[in-house]
Amino acid sequence: MPRQVNLEHVRNIGIMAHIDAGKTTTTERILFYSGRVHKPGEVDDGAAQMDYMEQEKERGITITSAATTTHWRDTQINIIDTPGHVDFTVEVERSLRVLDGAVAVFCAVGGVEPQSETVWKQADRYGVPRIAFINKMDRLGADFARAVAMMEDRLAARPVPVTLPIGAEDAFQGFVDLRTMQARIYRDELGTVWEDTEVPADMLEMAQDARARLLEAAAEADEEVMERFLADEDIAPAMIDRALRQGTIAEGLVPVFCGSALKNKGVQALMDGIVDLLPSPADRPAIVGVHPKTGEEVAREPSDDAPFSALVFKMVHDQHAGSLAFARVYSGSLEAGKAALNVNTGKRERMQRMFRMHADKREELKETRTGDIMAVVGPKGLRTGTTLTALDAPVLLEEMTFPEPVIYVAIEPRTKADGVKLHDSLETLSFEDPTFQVKEDPESGQTVIWGMGELHLEIIGDRLKREFGVQCNVGRPQVAYRETITTTGTSTFERRKDPESGHGNFARVTLALEPGEYGTGVVYTAGEKVAQKLPAEFQAAIENGVRMACDTGILAGYALVDLKVELTDAAFEEGETTEADFAYAASEALWTGARDAGPALLEPVMDVEVVVPEPYLGDVSGHLNSKRGKITGIHQQRLDRVLDAVVPLIEMFGYATQLRSLTQGRGVYTMQLARYERVPDKIAADLTRHYVGA
C-alpha cells in the first residue's frame, strides 16, 4: 500500500510545559485551525478534546498524555499533549522517548517555572529538538523579553525569537514576523482574519535589532546564509527557515514564537514553525539497539524499506477495547493481522487491530509505517518498553527507566465482592502506569499503593470508584522513606541444615559493605578470587539474595539504597548446597552487616516554589521555616515575590490548604523531588521505635 504522506512530511511532536501554561488550549487551537475539529474546546469548560478523562475535565488539568493526528500545509502532524503536573512527569518521560520534536509552551507571565525546567531536562536527555511558544501574551503582567531571558538563564537554552509581540496584556494585537519584517494584526476573535502590514514605527528599531540576532543565529548554522549575511545581501525567508531548521535539529537552537492560544492569536504561525523548523522522522538518526542473542549493536534506519521495528511507550486501559498499547514505529511497515516479534519475551504477537488515536477515539489502520504513532489492541504480552520487530530481524531497543514513588497509602475494599475487583483493578492500573506500585505490608497484611504525590494517588482512588466500580477505603498518605548505611563493615553468615526440620544445606557468605554515592542504589560486585571458585548459578543466587534483602531495610522496613556490597568469600558443599541456600545466606549476611554499619533513615526532600503577594512574604517564609524548610532564594516576579525552598515531603502534606489560609487564597506553590536526605535523629527514633524487622 503506497504512503499517503511522504516521510519527510511527517512530524511527531509533543506539547510540553509547566501546569497551566496553556498546553492543552494550544493543542485545541492547532486542531481547530487545521480543520481536525470544528470548534475549539475550552479547558475551563471541561470541553477540551484532549482532556477526555472525567478527572481531567473536573480539575481542568491534563493527567495522561493523549495522542492525535492532524494535517497542516500537506504535512501530517502527530501530536502528544502531555501533563504539566509534577505527579505525572512519567507521561512526559515516555512521550519524549519516542518523539522527534517538541513545542515548549511558556506562560508570558510566569516564564520558566519549575516543571518547565523538569520537562526541558527530559527533552535534553533524549536529544529532542524544540521550538518555544510564549503563550498568554494577553494576560496582565505578560513580558515576552523576560520569558526569553529566563530560557537562557534557567534552561541554558539558545532561544532565538522568530516573532515579536505587538503590544501586551489588553493591548496585545498580533506579532512582527522577523523573517519577513511584516506585522500581523488580528481583526476577529477567532483568529481567522488578519492583516499583514508594515512594522509599527515605534517597534521598528527593536524589530531590526531582533532580526539581526535572528540572522546571526541562522548564519552560524548555514554557510550560504553566512556568506550573504557577511556580504550584507538580502536573505529570503525560506533560506532563513532552512538555516534555523538545521540549527534547531543539529545545534540546539530554540526558535521562539509568541501569542495567546486562548485569544486565538499566533497559533497559525506556531503551526508553520512546526512544519518548517522541526524534524521529520527522516531527519533523525537511525534508532540503535542490540541483537537479543549476540548483544551486537544494531541500527535501524528510518525507512519503510528497513525491517519493522517499534517501541511500546504507553499502556492504557480502555473500558471497551481492553488494553491498548501505544507504539512508535521507527522503521519498516506492518499490516494489520500480521505477527510481530516481542523481543523482550521472544514470543510472536499478532497485531490483530491497529488504530490511529484522536484522544479517546480510534481510527482503524490497515497498515502502520515508519514514523507512525499507533495503538494496538489485543496482545497480552506487551508492556511499557516492549520492543516489537519483524520476526526475522530482532533488535532490542533501550527500555525506559522511571522514578521510584515517594508516597503511599493503605487501601482496603469495603466488601468481599469489592476485594476481588480491587485486586484486579490495581493490577490493571499498575500495568498502565510504571510509577504506580502495589505492595502488601508484610506486618499488617494491608494492601499499600505507592505513587508520585498526593494528587497521583487521589486520581487513582477516584478512578477505582468511577472507572472500575470498586468501593474502597483509602488511608492517609505516608512518606516513602529509604534507608542507607553510614560506615563500612564486614559480615559473614553461615547456613547449616536445620536438625529438626531438615531444611537448608551448608552455605557461607562473607560480604563487605560501604556507603555509596547518592542515587547509585545498590552496587554489587564479586571479588575475583571468590568469583573463580563459585559456579555462575551460585554467584547469581548470592546477588539475588543481596538485592532482595535490600528491598526491606532494618530500621523501619524501607528499601536500603546507596551502598556498595562486595562478595569477598563464599563456601559450599559439592552436590548439597543449592541456589536457595546461597540466596538465604546472602540475605542474612547483608542484614547483619547493615545493622553494624551505622544504618540511617532517609526522607524525600522537595524543591518548593511559592508565589505570594508581597504583604504575605513574612508569614509564608516563617511558616516554611517551621516545617524544617530552608529558604534558598527570594526574587521578584512582577507584583509578587517568589520563594524557593527545600522542605521535607512529610511537612508538605496539606500545604495547599495552609497556604490559602495564610494568603487569603492568593498564594500558589509547586514542588518536585530534589533528593533524599538523612532524617534528624530525634524524628528517626520516633519513626523506627516500634519496628521489629530484618
Side-chain angles (χ1 to χ4, degrees), residues 342-358:
N342 181 334
V343 184
N344 300 71
T345 63
K347 296 180 180 179
R348 294 162 57 105
E349 304 279 9
R350 189 164 297 280
M351 305 291 111
Q352 201 63 46
R353 302 181 69 195
M354 300 185 298
F355 300 96
R356 178 174 288 127
M357 301 299 294
H358 177 57

Side-chain angles (χ1 to χ4, degrees), residues 141-270:
D143 189 331
F144 178 80
R146 175 177 169 274
V148 172
M150 289 179 75
M151 289 177 65
E152 287 186 290
D153 295 340
R154 293 198 179 186
L155 306 177
R158 297 178 62 195
V160 182
V162 176
T163 64
L164 290 182
I166 299 175
E169 303 177 347
D170 290 342
F172 178 59
Q173 307 172 60
F175 60 84
V176 173
D177 188 330
L178 298 174
R179 295 164 297 183
T180 61
M181 284 302 281
Q182 280 194 310
R184 176 165 295 182
I185 308 295
Y186 287 88
R187 299 303 188 191
D188 72 332
E189 291 186 1
L190 273 180
T192 56
V193 179
W194 62 76
E195 179 184 355
D196 287 338
T197 183
E198 293 183 357
V199 177
D202 61 345
M203 285 189 66
L204 187 58
E205 184 177 347
M206 179 173 60
Q208 288 171 338
D209 289 343
R211 177 176 165 83
R213 289 192 293 273
L214 173 70
L215 293 178
E216 285 177 14
E220 288 179 16
D222 187 286
E223 288 187 9
E224 186 179 356
V225 174
M226 175 67 80
E227 290 173 4
R228 287 180 169 271
F229 179 69
L230 293 175
D232 201 22
E233 295 178 3
D234 186 51
I235 304 173
M239 191 179 292
I240 297 173
D241 282 343
R242 185 189 71 198
L244 288 178
R245 178 186 176 86
Q246 292 171 356
T248 301
I249 296 172
E251 300 177 24
L253 292 183
V254 184
V256 182
F257 296 80
C258 66
S260 168
L262 185 65
K263 297 298 184 181
N264 306 303
K265 294 179 173 68
V267 177
Q268 294 98 324
L270 174 66

Side-chain angles (χ1 to χ4, degrees), residues 11 24 35 110 116 131 157 172 213 215 223-224 242 288 330 341 409 458 461 488 518 566 570 579 597 602 658:
R11 301 288 181 272
T24 300
S116 307
I131 62 176
F172 178 59
R213 289 192 293 273
L215 293 178
E223 288 187 9
E224 186 179 356
R242 185 189 71 198
V288 177
Y330 284 103
L341 177 67
V409 296
E458 182 185 327
T488 58
Y518 172 75
E566 182 183 6
E579 293 171 44
L602 304 174
Q658 297 164 9

Side-chain angles (χ1 to χ4, degrees), residues 14 34 115 132 140 142 156 182 185 187 237 244 293 314 375 402 476 500 511 552 567 575 584 589 607 634 662:
S34 62
Q115 187 64 2
L140 183 67
Q182 280 194 310
I185 308 295
R187 299 303 188 191
L244 288 178
K293 291 183 178 178
K314 178 180 171 69
F402 302 107
R476 294 182 60 187
E500 294 184 8
L511 301 174
T552 306
L567 175 66
Y584 179 83
D607 276 331
I634 300 175
L662 285 169

Side-chain angles (χ1 to χ4, degrees), residues 432-444:
E432 180 181 304
D433 182 353
T435 60
F436 172 65
Q437 297 179 9
V438 183
K439 301 179 183 178
E440 185 174 296
D441 188 316
E443 288 190 328
S444 66

Side-chain angles (χ1 to χ4, degrees), residues 50-110:
M50 304 303 286
D51 286 348
Y52 59 87
M53 293 174 63
E54 288 300 320
Q55 293 83 359
E56 292 176 315
K57 293 177 181 179
E58 290 175 356
R59 291 168 170 80
I61 63 171
T62 301
I63 292 170
T64 184
S65 55
T68 189
T69 297
T70 192
H71 292 79
W72 182 251
R73 288 175 39 200
D74 299 324
T75 297
Q76 177 180 311
I77 305 176
N78 302 319
I79 303 172
I80 297 182
D81 177 31
T82 63
H85 195 286
V86 67
D87 283 15
F88 309 106
T89 300
V90 63
E91 294 288 337
V92 186
E93 182 82 20
R94 56 185 176 183
S95 298
L96 287 171
R97 169 68 171 80
V98 298
L99 292 171
D100 301 316
V103 176
V105 179
F106 299 94
C107 173
V109 180

Side-chain angles (χ1 to χ4, degrees), residues 276-288:
D276 294 331
L277 306 178
L278 287 178
S280 74
D283 295 316
R284 301 289 282 153
I287 190 73
V288 177

Side-chain angles (χ1 to χ4, degrees), residues 609-643:
E609 182 180 274
V610 189
V611 182
V612 296
E614 179 83 41
Y616 306 105
L617 180 64
D619 289 342
V620 171
S621 59
H623 188 241
L624 286 174
N625 286 328
S626 73
K627 291 177 169 290
R628 296 193 284 137
K630 299 174 185 174
I631 307 295
T632 58
I634 300 175
H635 60 273
Q636 194 82 28
Q637 182 175 293
R638 289 296 181 180
L639 301 177
D640 295 327
R641 299 300 291 272
V642 180
L643 286 82

